């Protein structure tokens, strides 16, 4: 029996339910398909990540005598071709939960089953599947706290699946050359900062998690909001591409749960994984959230498109140091700390009144962890129009946020080098010091107080 494993965002060998299932059946044909018509198309930072993740995974499969096949085009057509070429008898994959993907996968499953193949799909990326957590009345949750109370109680905590023994096919199957896919940037190659920061692939993911358990976890509850403290896991891109199993993470936190001092951090960390689950739950039940506000009254919000202001925000040239540090961290390294994401998103949607969808699009292109569920739900949360969102009138002040969460200005100095020589009591408001000391750093592009009032007035106009 030969089982084709269609790998998607489960680019790992450990605790991979579809791969383990296939290995138990007999010969395994692992395949990754680059879709031509993916909706929404992957952003540029994500493509960089995918290239390196596939390169690492291909090597893992090669070492086990079971080559990973790369093909490009329409998944249904490619799977059908491979079924013929390699005498495949069964097909399996781990499920994805974006609305368009669910529909597409269901159609492929039906078609292959109709042709007499055995088709199985598995949960390889969530602690609970989106439909498995229901309110007492049987519907979806809209508020995080009750959702997570219920969802956390349902986590099975089963032992994870080991890396399976793999038996490849006897005759070779044609594969594309990864380099021909053009996933990497060339003219110009802007990916130096990404390569400096990240190691895509399963080993990179597991090493990062080990490091977090050793040095970050103990500080997590107290310092996760402080961008210069290295108290976060930075696992989000690895989780997005499925290079590490969320069940593995969950289980490896269990020994810390009851430990004095660190137990609070372990539980806090688990509840952040809960936000990931909640976002997937929301996207599944409310498939319009990538483009439409969860709260319909926000459809009439008087947003203002302004390309000049948008460009200042994108380039980290707003004149507000914490915002600019975050946007430059994003541009240079494909990542931004969560606290700073909230501040820059609030600045865009409330101080600049630019629609949250415009910000989400920029994040989609530039984040290595760009994820439809997390990105859509988080942008809506900050903009005030999402499920269980921050109230609209909560407008982050980037100056006081900087003073509170980056009190020494260490994070700002790292990403905004023009301000490196300012003292910590000056760095959050550089317009108050002499121009010669701020190395060409721009003046604030807007007035915080006036734009805050404008935003509140716009919000009131909705009622
Ligand atoms: P940790 O603090 O170490 O948390 C562990 C894991 O929990 C993360 O890797 C992530 O998978 C999950 N998680 C943590 N916080 C959240 C959250 N608020 N919502 C959902 N999952 C969470 N996260 C993405 O993965 N992809 C996105 O595209 C994305 N876009 C965002 C856009 C905005 C405007 C905001 C405010 C947040 C966004 N987030 C997104 C959520 C969050 O900022 C990142 O998941 C987090 O910063 C990743 O860092 P970490 O892995 O060190 O997180």
């Amino acid at each position: 029996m030969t089982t084709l494993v269609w790998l998607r965002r489960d680019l790992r060998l450990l605790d991979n339910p579809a791969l383990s299932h296939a290995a138990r059946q007999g010969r395994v044909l692992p395949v990754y398909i680059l879709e031509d018509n993916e909706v929404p198309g992957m952003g540029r930072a994500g493509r960089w990540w995918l290239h390196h993740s596939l390169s690492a995974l291909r090597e893992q499969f090669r070492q086990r005598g079971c080559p990973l096949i790369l093909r490009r085009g329409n998944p249904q057509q490619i799977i059908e071709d491979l079924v013929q070429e390699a005498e495949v008898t069964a097909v399996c994959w781990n499920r994805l939960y974006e609305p368009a993907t669910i529909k597409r996968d269901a159609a492929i499953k039906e078609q292959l089953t109709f042709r007499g193949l055995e088709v199985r799909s598995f949960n390889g990326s969530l602690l609970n599947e989106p439909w498995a957590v229901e309110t007492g009345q049987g519907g979806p949750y809209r508020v995080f706290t009750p959702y997570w109370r219920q969802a956390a109680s349902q986590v099975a905590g089963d032992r994870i699946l080991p890396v399976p023994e793999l038996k490849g096919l006897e005759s070779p199957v044609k594969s594309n050359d990864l380099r021909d896919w053009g996933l990497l940037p060339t003219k110009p190659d802007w990916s130096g900062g990404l390569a400096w920061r990240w190691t895509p692939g399963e080993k990179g993911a597991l090493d990062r998690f080990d490091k977090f358990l050793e040095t970050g976890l103990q500080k997590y509850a107290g310092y996760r909001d402080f961008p210069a403290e290295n108290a976060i896991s930075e696992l989000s891109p690895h989780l997005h591409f499925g290079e590490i199993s969320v069940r593995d993470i969950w289980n490896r936190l269990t020994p810390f749960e009851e430990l004095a001092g660190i137990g609070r951090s372990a539980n806090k960390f688990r509840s952040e994984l809960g936000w990931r689950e909640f976002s997937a739950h929301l996207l599944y039940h409310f498939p319009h959230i990538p483009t439409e506000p969860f709260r319909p009254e926000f459809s009439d919000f008087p947003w203002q498109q302004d390309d000049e202001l948008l460009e200042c925000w994108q380039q980290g040239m707003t004149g507000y140091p914490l915002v600019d540090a975050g946007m430059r961290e994003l541009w240079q390294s494909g990542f931004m700390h969560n606290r700073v994401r909230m501040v820059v998103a609030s600045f865009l949607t409330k101080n600049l009144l630019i629609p949250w969808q415009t910000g989400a699009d920029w994040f989609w292109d530039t984040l290595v962890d760009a994820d439809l569920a997390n990105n859509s739900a988080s942008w809506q949360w900050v903009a005030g129009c999402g499920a269980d969102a921050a109230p609209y009138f909560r407008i982050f002040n980037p100056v006081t946020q900087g003073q509170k969460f980056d009190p020494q200005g260490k994070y700002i100095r790292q990403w905004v080098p023009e301000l490196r020589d300012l003292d910590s009591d000056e760095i959050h408001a550089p317009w108050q010091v002499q121009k010669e000391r701020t190395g060409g750093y721009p003046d604030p592009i807007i007035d915080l107080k006036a734009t805050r009032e404008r935003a509140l007035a716009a919000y009131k106009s909705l009622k």
Side-chain angles (χ1 to χ4, degrees), residues 302-310 348 352-359 361:
W303 301 110
Q304 298 182 9
Q305 279 291 5
D306 185 319
D307 291 345
E308 226 170 283
L309 292 177
L310 175 65
L348 186 82
L352 304 185
L353 281 194
I354 291 178
W356 59 269
Q357 294 95 329
T358 305
D361 286 349

Side-chain angles (χ1 to χ4, degrees), residues 7-11 32-35 38 41-58 68 70-72 178-179 181-185 190 194 198-201 237 240-243 367-369:
L7 293 155
R8 292 104 67 86
R9 292 211 309 269
D10 48 352
L11 304 179
Y32 184 90
I33 301 168
L34 184 68
E35 292 170 52
E38 195 197 359
M42 196 180 286
R44 281 174 291 178
R47 290 163 73 83
W48 175 88
W49 190 286
L50 178 65
H51 176 99
H52 292 291
S53 189
L54 285 174
S55 173
L57 187 70
R58 197 180 42 177
L68 172 65
L70 304 177
R71 291 277 175 105
R72 178 174 200 157
L178 181 57
R179 286 167 305 185
W181 280 3
L183 296 170
L184 297 178
W190 41 260
L194 275 63
W198 303 103
T199 309
H240 172 75
F241 285 93
E243 299 167 350
L367 275 172
V368 286
D369 65 20

